[in-house]
Amino acid sequence: QVQLVESGGGSVQAGGSLRLSCAASGWPECRHEMSWYQQAPGKEREFVSSINSDRTTKYADSVKGRFTISRDNAKNTVYLQMDSLKPEDTAMYYCKTVVDCGVYSYRTGRSYWGQGTQVTVSS
């Protein structure tokens, strides 16, 4: 079982910055692809950014150039640095991991979500 705990959300004015953290526990022998999603009220959960074990990153077009994802494998933690925040970034942000414990492991491919952290950007 893998558990994810997010932190770092809050309220900022447009143009400000926040740094989200997501600490993972469980199955340290496995590789974890980590990602962030956002969900605004009344909307579906949407992909924001991801980083895999070799630090290959992906970003949604809406955050490219403003958000930066990184990871500290020693701490099993992934970060999302959010700069130049806009009111439309307001949402609950969720951390997700997909585990890879090898091709023969029943655990490979399982995904887990954190509880979410709220980000509010005022104009």
Side-chain angles (χ1 to χ4, degrees), residues 9-13 18 118-122:
S11 298
V12 296
Q13 290 190 329
L18 284 172
Q118 178 68 39
V119 171
T120 303
V121 185
S122 58

Side-chain angles (χ1 to χ4, degrees), residues 27-87:
W27 300 348
E29 71 278 16
C30 301
R31 292 180 294 181
H32 296 253
E33 177 178 309
M34 307 292 293
S35 54
W36 288 96
Y37 285 73
Q38 63 180 195
Q39 187 167 21
K43 294 187 177 182
E44 294 186 352
R45 195 170 295 187
E46 297 179 339
F47 170 81
V48 174
S49 182
S50 66
I51 184 168
N52 62 17
S53 56
D54 65 4
R55 293 183 167 79
T56 299
T57 60
K58 296 180 182 179
Y59 296 94
D61 288 342
S62 60
V63 306
K64 282 181 180 177
R66 299 188 299 120
F67 291 8
T68 304
I69 192 170
S70 61
R71 65 190 295 162
D72 183 335
N73 288 333
K75 296 181 179 180
N76 292 323
T77 300
V78 63
Y79 305 96
L80 186 67
Q81 178 66 41
M82 304 187 296
D83 299 317
S84 303
L85 282 162
K86 305 175 181 180

